[in-house]
């Protein structure tokens, strides 16, 4: 493949992986990030929403030989552990296969690791505190402002990649042109982070290998493990109305509210009231757009499809974008335009599909997971997967434990559900007839 000059706007997880993967494919990469160098920042465990990395993300990391090293940084989660209002707990395995886990990993720690790996490549240049100001998408030219000295620099390449997040400056520039569709939808809920410290001796205070959920109908709390024994907790509460963050104004109110709705949590967070009152809730947004490709400019990750975090696929989808973009460039070594169009055709539908799934899973996690009928359905789903491994695969398994395109996984799941609705009653009828016949 002929070497290309590539400019990346954004040095977060997706941008850092893109720089590394493209460099290892033989291209010259210049990455510009508006924040400071994360290698010089203090990474505090539990102070940012942990990420759940699964098969799609691991497949992309495997392409650059980093899968095993990243897994060493992560904590496997084998299922959900639901916490009832009466302090009871119920475990729900993610899969009937004990080897199929998702992994909790520090966002900051992984970002730093990928930047370190990219910096070690001789054909990668990293520029921090450079803010994207203007983009000529068709020419592949971008102007960045150095926040340290106020100077601007204009850079160009064979390809410009927008990997600068949900509020992407690259995408904002594309929107100025004609025929660019864009939508953003804020969830009625926001999120607030809490830190659950490790127990004495660095032990995990609650089950280590699980994603913990406190489902309470229209609101919830979750907690993901860190490798030092602590947990990152996140409240997903309404922004307005009943149970909104703003309703708790002092320490006594915080203590009473958690004692009522999350009675086991105060024992896990000694300074709960201080953490809560010192934090500010953040918004949750879903962003969709099209096209992802304009001229020599392409969008990846949250710049193209920001989603809410309830399917654990935000980073995984972004990493999959990078892998497929690189594969399409490899498949069309002499036709970059064809590679970009092929990438877009493969990814836009799937970006919308995972956005829909993430929104649907929000309602499942805050309410449905606590219902006996839902738990029974999940057990039945795992049983089907064991009995008919070549035919049945749950939607969750296809999304989290395979590289099946998101939209295709939805179509397969719907087809399976239709078959089950027909076949299952028929099976029960046959069994009933057989029992009656045997009694004659």
């Amino acid at each position: 493949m002929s070497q290309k000059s590539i400019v990346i706007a954004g040095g977060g997880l997706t941008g850092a992986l893109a720089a590394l993967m493209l460099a290892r494919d033989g291209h010259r990469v210049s990455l510009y990030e508006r924040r400071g160098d994360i290698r010089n920042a203090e990474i505090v465990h539990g102070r940012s929403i942990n990420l759940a990395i699964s098969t799609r993300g691991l497949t992309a990391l495997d392409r650059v030989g980093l899968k095993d090293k990243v897994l060493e940084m992560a904590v496997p989660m084998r299922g959900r552990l639901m916490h009832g209002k009466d302090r009871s707990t119920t475990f729900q395995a993610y899969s009937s296969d004990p080897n199929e886990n998702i992994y909790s990993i520090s966002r900051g720690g992984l970002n730093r690791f990928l930047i370190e790996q990219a910096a070690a490549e001789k054909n990668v240049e990293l520029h921090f505190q450079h803010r994207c100001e203007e983009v000529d998408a068709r020419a592949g030219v971008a102007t960045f402002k150095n926040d340290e000295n106020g100077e601007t620099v204009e850079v160009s390449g064979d390809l410009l990649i927008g990997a600068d997040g949900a509020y992407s400056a690259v995408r904002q520039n594309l929107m100025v042109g004609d025929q660019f569709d864009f939508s953003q939808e804020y969830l009625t809920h926001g999120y607030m982070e809490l830190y659950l410290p490790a127990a004495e001796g660095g032990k995990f205070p609650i089950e280590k290998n699980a994603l913990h959920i406190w489902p309470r109908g229209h609101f919830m709390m979750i907690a993901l493990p860190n490798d030092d024994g602590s947990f990152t907790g996140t409240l997903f509460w309404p922004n307005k109305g009943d149970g909104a963050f703003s309703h708790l104004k002092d320490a006594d109110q915080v203590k009473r509210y958690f004692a009522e709705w999350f009675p086991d949590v105060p024992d896990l967070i000694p300074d709960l009231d201080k953490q809560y009152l010192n934090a500010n809730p953040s918004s949750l947004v879903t962003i969709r757009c099209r096209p992802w490709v304009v001229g020599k400019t392409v969008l990846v990750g949250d710049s193209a499809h920001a989603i809410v975090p309830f399917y654990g696929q935000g980073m995984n989808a972004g990493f999959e974008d990078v892998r497929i973009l690189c594969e399409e460039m490899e498949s069309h070594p002499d036709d970059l335009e064809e590679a970009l169009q092929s990438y877009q055709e493969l990814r836009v539908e799937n970006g919308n599909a995972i956005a829909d799934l993430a929104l649907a899973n929000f309602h499942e996690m805050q309410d449905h997971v606590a219902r006996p009928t839902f738990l029974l359905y999940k057990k039945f789903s795992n049983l089907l997967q064991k009995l008919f491994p070549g035919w049945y695969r749950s939607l969750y398994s296809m999304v989290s434990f395979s590289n099946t395109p998101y939209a295709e996984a939805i179509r397969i799941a719907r087809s399976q559900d239709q078959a089950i609705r027909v076949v299952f009653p028929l099976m029960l009828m046959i069994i009933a007839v057989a029992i009656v016949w045997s009694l004659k």
Side-chain angles (χ1 to χ4, degrees):
M1 180 165 53
S2 59
Q3 186 185 66
K4 292 178 174 59
S5 174
I6 297 173
V7 177
I8 299 176
L13 291 163
T14 302
L17 179 64
L20 177 61
M21 194 175 293
L22 287 161
R24 293 193 176 177
D25 282 353
H27 303 294
R28 290 182 293 108
V29 180
S30 297
L31 182 147
Y32 292 81
E33 163 59 40
R34 66 177 178 83
R35 297 167 299 184
D37 189 342
I38 195 170
R39 292 172 294 177
N40 301 326
E42 180 184 3
I43 304 300
V44 180
H45 280 297
R47 296 300 181 182
S48 177
I49 285 184
N50 277 34
L51 301 166
I53 190 165
S54 52
T55 297
R56 295 169 199 272
L58 294 172
T59 300
L61 290 166
D62 198 36
R63 192 175 188 273
V64 290
L66 296 180
K67 174 182 173 181
D68 291 340
K69 289 184 179 179
V70 168
L71 286 178
E72 291 174 4
M73 303 163 56
V75 180
M77 298 184 292
R78 301 189 178 97
R80 299 164 169 168
L81 189 67
M82 272 74 70
H83 294 251
K85 198 177 172 184
D86 60 356
R87 293 177 178 259
S88 64
T89 58
T90 307
F91 183 75
Q92 181 188 111
Y94 283 129
S95 170
S96 57
D97 184 345
N99 296 315
E100 290 185 333
N101 304 312
I102 61 175
Y103 298 85
S104 174
I105 191 165
S106 160
R107 176 190 296 273
L110 180 57
N111 200 169
R112 172 188 280 173
F113 175 71
L114 292 174
I115 287 290
E116 289 172 346
Q117 295 296 312
E121 297 294 318
K122 63 181 181 180
N123 48 341
V124 173
E125 293 181 356
L126 301 176
H127 306 271
F128 298 96
Q129 295 188 312
H130 278 70
R131 186 181 304 273
C132 181
E133 301 253 299
E134 295 181 27
V135 170
D136 182 340
R138 300 196 179 281
V141 177
T143 301
F144 296 92
K145 181 179 180 180
N146 186 327
D147 285 342
E148 286 187 299
N149 57 28
E151 295 180 356
T152 59
V153 56
E154 184 179 274
V155 294
S156 62
D158 299 307
L159 178 62
L160 169 63
I161 298 177
D164 50 341
Y167 302 102
S168 167
V170 174
R171 188 188 64 240
Q172 288 289 336
N173 278 267
L174 300 187
M175 291 168 62
V176 175
D178 191 27
Q179 298 292 308
F180 191 92
D181 293 327
F182 170 80
S183 70
Q184 67 179 21
E185 176 187 1
Y186 284 93
L187 208 60
T188 55
H189 290 53
Y191 72 91
M192 180 187 288
E193 298 168 1
L194 298 173
Y195 178 65
L196 288 65
E200 187 176 353
K203 295 181 180 179
F204 289 86
I206 48 180
E207 170 58 40
K208 170 184 178 181
N209 299 118
L211 187 156
H212 295 260
I213 306 177
W214 288 258
R216 297 296 183 264
H218 69 290
F219 63 107
M220 67 175 170
M221 174 177 167
I222 69 170
L224 276 72
N226 299 306
D227 60 4
D228 64 352
S230 66
F231 282 78
T232 301
T234 310
L235 304 174
F236 294 101
W237 292 4
N239 291 315
K240 297 178 181 179
D242 293 340
F245 286 108
S246 58
H247 286 193
L248 306 184
K249 301 181 183 301
D250 58 45
D252 287 339
Q253 288 181 335
V254 172
K255 291 174 182 176
R256 285 198 301 270
Y257 194 79
F258 275 83
E260 178 182 359
W261 290 101
F262 308 97
D264 51 343
V265 170
D267 295 336
L268 302 171
I269 310 177
D271 60 343
L272 173 61
D273 56 325
K274 292 184 178 63
Q275 284 197 42
Y276 184 95
L277 295 171
N278 288 331
N280 292 309
S282 300
S283 299
L284 294 164
V285 66
T286 298
I287 289 175
R288 307 173 198 253
C289 69
R290 187 181 183 118
W292 292 8
V293 175
V294 178
K296 293 183 178 180
T297 301
V298 61
L299 301 176
V300 297
D302 286 354
S303 301
H305 53 85
I307 63 175
V308 293
F310 302 108
Y311 223 112
Q313 287 295 303
M315 173 187 61
N316 291 287
F319 281 11
E320 191 171 57
D321 289 344
V322 172
R323 174 179 65 82
I324 289 177
L325 175 62
C326 290
E327 289 175 353
E328 291 307 307
M329 290 175 64
E330 192 173 31
S331 298
H332 304 86
D334 300 316
D335 194 338
L336 181 58
E337 182 178 355
E338 179 65 25
L340 296 179
Q341 289 303 318
S342 180
Y343 159 77
Q344 179 171 253
E345 290 171 9
L346 289 169
R347 296 306 292 162
V348 173
E349 180 189 17
N350 290 299
N352 290 329
I354 190 56
D356 293 336
L357 286 174
L359 288 167
N361 216 40
F362 166 62
H363 301 291
E364 177 178 300
M365 289 178 70
Q366 69 174 345
D367 185 14
H368 298 173
V369 293
R371 297 180 181 179
T373 53
F374 181 83
L375 297 174
L376 183 62
Y377 170 79
K378 284 295 183 181
K379 289 181 179 179
F380 178 61
S381 177
N382 285 340
L383 177 61
L384 284 178
Q385 200 155 296
K386 279 184 177 180
L387 294 175
F388 309 105
W391 172 71
Y392 182 85
R393 192 106 197 255
S394 71
L395 177 59
Y396 189 88
S397 289
M398 286 187 284
V399 169
S400 299
F401 305 126
S402 82
N403 292 309
T404 304
Y406 294 120
E408 183 181 343
I410 292 173
R411 288 191 288 269
I412 292 172
R414 286 174 178 167
S415 177
Q416 289 177 162
D417 288 345
Q418 288 173 356
I420 289 170
R421 280 195 289 269
V422 173
V423 173
F424 187 59
L426 184 61
M427 289 174 61
L428 290 178
M429 187 181 300
I430 292 172
I431 292 171
V433 169
I435 292 173
V436 171
W437 184 263
S438 66
L439 295 174
K440 288 184 177 180

